[in-house]
Amino acid sequence: MTKKTAAAAALVLAVPLLGAAPAEAKPLAFGPCPFEGAECAELAVPLDERHPEHEIMISISRVRATGTPEEYRGALLVNPGGPGGSGLEYAVSKGAKLPEQVRRAYDIVGFDPRGVGRSAPLDCGDLGGLFQHPSPEPVPVGPDQERAHLDRLSAQARDCLRHNPNAAAMNTTSTARDMDRIRDALGEEELNFLGVSYGTYLGAAYAHEFPENVGRMVLDSVVSPDRWHDFDVLQAHAMLHQRDVLFDWIAARPDLGLGTTREEVRDTYTRARASLSSADDDFGAGARNAFGAGEFDNLVYKTLSRTERWRPFAEALRTYVGSGSTESLEPALPEPDPESRNYEAALRTVKCNDSARPTPEEVPADIRALRAADPHPILTGLEATTCAFWPNPAEPARLGHPDMPPVLLTQADHDPTTPLPGARRMQALLPGSRMITARNTYSHGVVASQNLPCVDDPTATYLLTGQLPDRNTTCPGPGLPT
């Protein structure tokens, strides 16, 4: 056992929850991988720290550093977000976008977190009818619809718990322990890590469990440290503001034919959405088959997170308004394929196991508050509403630690998926950490994502040298799309 691993054991044994530190792992045996340019391995980890004899396999991928031995800095573990995002192929796709000097210096290592992809994947069955299309109207109005909405959430929770007897072990703290076992199996004294979106929450949880093992950690597009339901509600309000920005952007482009003021565009949008809930519509196409208002809201949710999706969405909406055809409105998650079923299952299971649950009374109250802000809120991201019918978490995630080293946070100022106020609250839990904020930036994901040297260059410097900016900084972002 290395000195650092021994120190980790001493620290975690002092904590009164599931107090065992990960045992020293065997070296990984990398071999063929289905992703070009990568090699893959598996690592056995305990399903539950209290019962280490029951193991699951964690799937890991690696893209080797391209530089000289003198340039080599070790392994950089990456996570794409979620909860529920697979990281195996991400090591290839994200690695290819990172600055060249980072790719030369680091092996880029991805993994499927427990419950995801090839690592003991979760499947919640029908998830309360989540995969039936067209879905019911997603925004309940009035007591009867609110009761029906709660019934669907209750059915989601029952499906997950019935299909997954080990669901309680699928949580962020357990994944953080898995990450430390990966670190040890790679022969690394410290964990270097790049986490995006939920990956920032995962990184903060790792820092709490293993502060002395934190190496160079970049947290991009930062999740709030609040309980998951409160974060989801914060995001839903930010999505409403972002949709107004989208309406203004469309209105400034008369060629799109959807209106020349925010109000005109909103009216076109609202009539189109309403028609998708009805066989009798304003656009002459009749029943919508598999694409209804719920699917439309899923598409809008995805559209609002990345500005490069705005024009394709507006053009697809124009086609629907003009012809009644939904073919150009790309179907959005959730779909009934295994990958999507796994993602939706892991998303809810991990959130419900990580933080205090909302009450069944809070859920409709928060939806009413969103409806008061706008009659047509987007509820797609409110996955933690399922947790109202979930057992209390056995091991809630704990984030940050007074003894951790400073790390780097990067953030877009108008990111609706991980809003800036929540990112600042997370930073407050990470002592001495620095944040680079990209101004006038409306998309989710900043590092090696927006082509911003003022973010990517200092990130590369930090990963290569450990040097952080001497203070929080801002830099100009790309603005809205042309």
Side-chain angles (χ1 to χ4, degrees):
M1 180 179 288
T2 65
K3 291 182 179 180
K4 279 190 173 285
T5 307
L11 175 71
V12 179
L13 285 170
V15 177
L17 285 175
L18 298 179
E24 191 164 310
K26 295 180 180 179
L28 295 171
F30 282 96
C33 195
F35 310 107
E36 185 176 356
E39 51 189 358
C40 286
E42 288 190 324
L43 177 67
V45 302
L47 173 66
D48 186 326
E49 296 295 320
R50 293 166 293 194
H51 303 287
E53 69 278 9
H54 299 145
E55 293 184 329
I56 58 175
M57 302 303 292
I58 301 299
S59 291
I60 301 163
S61 62
R62 178 172 67 182
V63 178
R64 284 288 200 174
T66 60
T68 65
E70 292 75 22
E71 293 173 291
Y72 187 65
R73 295 289 184 275
L76 177 66
L77 193 67
V78 296
N79 178 271
S86 169
L88 288 183
E89 191 278 333
Y90 189 70
V92 178
S93 61
K94 188 66 174 181
K97 298 175 183 176
L98 290 171
E100 181 182 1
Q101 61 268 44
V102 174
R103 289 184 277 119
R104 292 181 63 84
Y106 282 98
D107 295 334
I108 309 301
V109 178
F111 72 109
D112 279 354
R114 57 173 55 210
V116 174
R118 302 187 182 198
S119 299
L122 290 158
D123 188 324
C124 289
D126 290 338
L127 255 179
L130 187 69
F131 306 105
Q132 297 172 5
H133 299 296
S135 63
E137 166 57 53
V139 182
V141 179
D144 291 344
Q145 291 185 17
E146 288 176 352
R147 280 192 292 271
H149 186 73
L150 291 174
D151 287 345
R152 288 194 292 273
L153 296 176
S154 177
Q156 287 182 357
R158 288 197 305 272
D159 282 350
C160 262
L161 296 168
R162 182 173 65 250
H163 282 83
N164 300 290
N166 297 313
M170 304 300 178
N171 59 64
T172 295
T173 298
S174 294
T175 299
R177 295 191 185 106
D178 297 341
M179 289 165 58
D180 203 58
R181 287 188 171 89
I182 294 171
R183 173 199 62 77
D184 191 59
L186 289 168
E188 298 287 325
E189 285 286 310
E190 297 178 327
L191 182 81
N192 302 308
F193 180 68
L194 167 61
V196 181
S197 198
Y198 164 71
T200 67
Y201 187 93
L202 182 56
Y206 181 88
H208 180 91
E209 301 301 317
F210 306 101
E212 72 292 342
N213 288 350
V214 173
R216 294 164 192 176
M217 180 175 285
V218 178
L219 306 181
D220 177 36
S221 303
V222 183
V223 168
S224 162
D226 311 312
R227 64 175 182 164
W228 276 114
H229 176 69
D230 295 334
F231 168 79
D232 290 351
V233 172
L234 173 71
Q235 181 192 86
H237 281 282
M239 286 286 176
L240 290 179
H241 176 74
Q242 183 87 330
R243 193 176 61 185
D244 283 343
V245 177
L246 171 61
F247 289 163
D248 289 340
W249 182 87
I250 291 172
R253 287 155 180 79
D255 61 295
L256 292 171
L258 298 173
T260 58
T261 67
R262 179 190 294 185
E263 291 71 24
E264 289 177 357
V265 175
R266 180 189 298 276
D267 180 67
T268 303
Y269 171 99
T270 302
R271 289 189 301 115
R273 185 189 182 281
S275 75
L276 289 163
S277 297
S278 171
D280 299 318
D281 62 74
D282 291 339
F283 308 116
R288 291 297 139 214
N289 298 322
F291 198 91
E295 289 75 16
F296 183 75
D297 282 2
N298 275 318
L299 175 59
V300 172
Y301 177 86
K302 293 199 322 182
T303 297
L304 294 175
S305 70
R306 297 286 303 186
T307 58
E308 66 266 23
R309 298 170 183 160
W310 287 15
R311 179 169 286 277
F313 168 77
E315 291 173 347
L317 183 59
R318 179 182 62 193
T319 297
Y320 173 64
V321 170
S323 68
S325 171
T326 63
E327 289 184 7
S328 57
L329 293 168
E330 178 184 345
L333 291 176
E335 291 296 308
D337 61 278
E339 182 178 350
S340 297
R341 290 170 69 96
N342 173 231
Y343 179 85
E344 298 293 339
L347 184 62
R348 288 160 177 79
T349 299
V350 173
K351 283 189 173 186
C352 292
N353 286 334
D354 273 357
S355 62
R357 61 187 183 179
T359 66
E361 293 74 30
E362 280 182 275
V363 171
D366 286 330
I367 292 174
R368 286 182 218 123
L370 284 161
R371 288 190 63 246
D374 188 287
H376 301 289
I378 304 155
L379 305 186
T380 302
L382 267 63
E383 299 97 1
T385 50
T386 305
C387 308
F389 301 95
W390 200 270
N392 283 321
E395 193 172 18
R398 299 168 293 170
L399 307 173
H401 195 283
D403 297 331
M404 65 178 287
V407 300
L408 180 64
L409 286 67
T410 57
Q411 180 71 29
D413 59 351
H414 296 297
D415 181 346
T417 308
T418 54
L420 179 59
R424 287 174 172 156
R425 288 197 293 278
M426 179 67 88
Q427 185 184 14
L429 300 180
L430 310 175
S433 297
R434 300 289 186 263
M435 182 184 292
I436 303 173
T437 303
R439 299 191 312 271
N440 200 26
T441 302
Y442 292 80
S443 284
H444 183 54
V446 180
V447 171
S449 179
Q450 299 283 327
N451 192 27
L452 292 176
C454 60
V455 172
D456 294 344
D457 290 351
T459 298
T461 296
Y462 167 62
L463 288 173
L464 295 171
T465 70
Q467 180 182 347
L468 285 165
D470 59 7
R471 56 183 174 80
N472 292 335
T473 63
T474 62
C475 71
L480 294 173
T482 56

